[in-house]
Amino acid sequence: MESVAQKKKFDVDLLHGPILKSMLIFAVPLFFSGVFQQLYNTMDTVIIGHTLGDEALAAMGAAAAIYDLLIGFALGIGNGLGIVTARSFGNGDLDHLKRSVAAALLIGLGTTVVMTVAARFIVYPLLEILNTPAEIIEQSYAYISTITLFIGVMFAYNLCAGFLRAIGNSVMPLVFLVLSSVLNIVLDLVFIRQVGMGVQGAAMATVIAQGVSVIACLVYIWKKADILIPQKKHFVWDKELYLEMLAQGLSMALMSAIVYAGTAILQVGINGLGYLVIAGHVAARKLFMFLMMPYMAISRTISTFVAQNYGAGQMGRIRKAVKYAYLCGAVLTAVITLFTIPLAPLMVRLLSGSTEAVVIENGALYLRVVAPCLMILALLNPSRFGLQCIGNKILPTISSVIELVGKYLFVVLLIPRFQYMAVIFCEPVIWFFMDIELLWAFWRNPLVRAGKEEEKTI
């Protein structure tokens, strides 16, 4: 067995030493990566809202659910494949690590082809099924069809960044994102304001900027992280490895797809409330995604931490890391709630560029209600990713089914009666029920319980 013996400048050791310190060091670049990733779409929102108005902003928002569904499925597969690579790194098997990278590349290529072809046939019918208003459906299609044509670019970046995170490097993906985010802003201004391409220009700017990230990431791996470069011998068929990677990748993809399918169903209810409500919700959701960034950084840190330490057989460290994730989430929720409640109207107005009272008031109300409920997510995501990374593929998926069914019930039963108030409370209520299932599943898992004595010695 070829051993993993090298440690590069930006690699964080998640297998030894103080747990919280290493988690925070690893999470900080992930947080800023998430922020710059979100800037892709947010700058689209700001520039479109200020340049093209509420109708164009609503058109992009109406397509968001489909974008999230298709991209979420592809990225779910990428994240699942990265878990296997992180486990190989954790147990010190370099040969298995390279074979997992080779398998991930082949599976990723196949996934990209299937997703790109499928998107050509289902995007417009989905916009119609989602009750997209007639006055914005063509703009929505122009935006989402351009994005989905280049699914492979976004998948490639996340797969490469996932490989780097699997070996403990969360810094360089951030560097590449900063570069491409700046490029994205410049291209947004050129394509939308100068060339006059409308919402389709925002889509093209996003694709080109992320393509730059892919190239930069590949060059870095080639020159500085050759531990991740497989050779011809690593592409041989290994039934057990491919089945494990497919199972891990597809389970996370299915989980993501179910979550985003629920979001698409919820979009049906939102689209029926009129384009001004849609515009306010779009602005609020963009801001909400920024609030989510530190929580997602913690969750992705837990994913890599658990996968590596599971490969190394260190369940005590896993238990302690998940508890630290809960604690960090509690602190974050308190801070975020304190500044969101007074500043929500200003944030919505600045981001949307709208002067309509409906847009600003609905967006601000959404943020004020959801901000304190982020504590529910602070418990939910570490438990879900922790389960996934120790090999439990069923129970995390069940939590996604709970979310899907819950959103369907809200759309059918509550949104027609309570309008946008039901939209606001939909996700926090569903998160609560998901928490019950996931917390029970994680802490009652035999492997997690077996690490209780080891945890006491750490």
Side-chain angles (χ1 to χ4, degrees):
M1 178 181 75
E2 195 176 357
S3 175
V4 176
Q6 60 187 103
K7 182 179 183 296
K8 298 296 185 181
K9 179 179 179 180
F10 296 115
D11 295 350
V12 179
D13 187 355
L14 300 175
L15 295 167
H16 311 94
I19 294 174
L20 181 58
K21 179 181 177 181
S22 62
M23 285 177 60
L24 292 176
I25 293 173
F26 190 81
V28 168
L30 287 178
F31 165 70
F32 286 106
S33 293
V35 169
F36 282 101
Q37 186 95 48
Q38 192 60 30
L39 277 175
Y40 276 58
N41 290 332
T42 302
M43 288 310 301
D44 296 345
T45 301
V46 172
I47 295 172
I48 286 175
H50 284 263
T51 304
L52 304 178
D54 291 333
E55 188 172 296
L57 180 62
M60 189 176 68
I66 299 175
Y67 170 80
D68 289 340
L69 177 63
L70 296 175
I71 302 302
F73 185 87
L75 299 188
I77 290 181
N79 291 335
L81 299 177
I83 288 173
V84 179
T85 302
R87 288 179 190 166
S88 301
F89 184 82
N91 66 26
D93 189 344
L94 179 56
D95 182 69
H96 191 274
L97 184 150
K98 291 190 174 187
R99 285 190 290 116
S100 74
V101 171
L105 293 175
L106 295 176
I107 294 170
L109 178 61
T111 300
T112 297
V113 172
V114 172
M115 295 291 294
T116 303
V117 173
R120 294 299 90 195
F121 295 98
I122 66 175
V123 165
Y124 200 90
L126 276 176
L127 285 170
E128 294 177 319
I129 291 171
L130 292 176
N131 197 28
T132 305
E135 63 266 35
I136 64 173
I137 192 170
E138 293 300 330
Q139 291 186 75
S140 294
Y141 179 72
Y143 177 78
I144 192 61
S145 63
T146 303
I147 289 287
T148 55
L149 182 62
F150 297 97
I151 286 176
V153 175
M154 300 181 182
F155 186 87
Y157 168 74
N158 282 275
L159 191 61
C160 291
F163 289 150
L164 289 173
R165 288 193 296 268
I167 62 172
N169 187 335
S170 59
V171 173
M172 292 312 300
L174 167 62
V175 174
F176 307 140
L177 270 178
V178 171
L179 171 66
S180 60
S181 294
V182 173
L183 177 60
N184 181 63
I185 295 171
V186 173
L187 292 176
D188 269 338
L189 294 171
V190 172
F191 291 157
I192 296 173
R193 291 190 172 182
Q194 302 299 321
V195 182
M197 293 178 64
V199 293
Q200 192 171 21
M204 284 302 303
T206 298
V207 169
I208 293 172
Q210 199 147 38
V212 172
S213 292
V214 174
I215 295 171
C217 208
L218 288 173
V219 170
Y220 178 81
I221 290 174
W222 181 263
K223 292 184 174 293
K224 300 293 185 179
D226 57 339
I227 187 177
L228 293 169
I229 301 176
Q231 300 169 5
K232 183 178 180 180
K233 66 179 182 179
H234 296 118
F235 285 89
V236 297
W237 171 251
D238 182 334
K239 181 179 179 180
E240 183 178 348
L241 173 63
Y242 275 77
L243 288 178
E244 168 62 18
M245 295 194 71
L246 279 171
Q248 194 73 59
L250 289 176
S251 66
M252 288 201 76
L254 180 61
M255 185 173 71
S256 297
I258 292 172
V259 170
Y260 290 120
T263 302
I265 290 172
L266 182 59
Q267 190 68 45
V268 174
I270 297 169
N271 286 350
L273 301 177
Y275 81 87
L276 286 177
V277 174
I278 297 173
H281 186 71
V282 169
R285 286 294 293 188
K286 295 295 183 185
L287 290 164
F288 170 74
M289 291 307 297
F290 274 108
L291 301 183
M292 279 279 292
M293 289 300 103
Y295 298 88
M296 292 309 299
I298 293 170
S299 298
R300 291 162 74 183
T301 297
I302 283 294
S303 180
T304 301
F305 188 99
V306 171
Q308 285 193 11
N309 281 274
Y310 178 69
Q314 300 181 145
M315 296 305 299
R317 287 177 63 84
I318 289 174
R319 287 175 59 94
K320 204 152 193 175
V322 172
K323 290 179 181 179
Y324 279 135
Y326 295 161
L327 177 62
C328 290
V331 174
L332 284 168
T333 301
V335 173
I336 287 172
T337 302
L338 285 174
F339 84 76
T340 298
I341 289 178
L343 296 178
L346 176 62
M347 292 191 294
V348 173
R349 185 166 60 252
L350 289 176
L351 188 128
S352 67
S354 178
T355 57
E356 292 283 350
V358 172
V359 173
I360 296 170
E361 291 171 7
N362 281 341
L365 181 60
Y366 177 89
L367 291 173
R368 285 168 169 165
V369 171
V370 172
C373 297
L374 286 170
M375 185 60 218
I376 309 175
L377 277 182
L379 299 174
L380 189 156
N381 282 328
S383 304
R384 173 190 269 174
F385 284 109
L387 279 170
Q388 192 79 38
C389 293
I390 61 174
N392 191 319
K393 305 174 184 67
I394 302 299
L395 293 176
T397 305
I398 291 175
S399 71
S400 300
V401 173
I402 293 172
E403 184 170 2
L404 176 64
V405 173
K407 287 180 177 177
Y408 174 79
L409 293 176
F410 263 81
V411 168
V412 173
L413 301 177
L414 299 178
I415 293 178
R417 181 176 178 182
F418 298 104
Q419 301 290 294
Y420 193 61
M421 287 301 296
V423 174
I424 292 173
F425 282 96
C426 175
E427 289 181 319
V429 171
I430 295 169
W431 295 338
F432 175 78
F433 287 102
M434 293 169 67
D435 258 359
I436 294 174
E437 185 253 348
L438 286 167
L439 287 169
W440 177 87
F442 182 80
W443 293 105
R444 296 295 296 175
N445 182 278
L447 292 173
V448 175
R449 294 176 69 185
K452 187 173 183 179
E453 291 303 315
E454 180 190 342
E455 180 189 7
K456 295 177 182 178
T457 66
I458 297 174

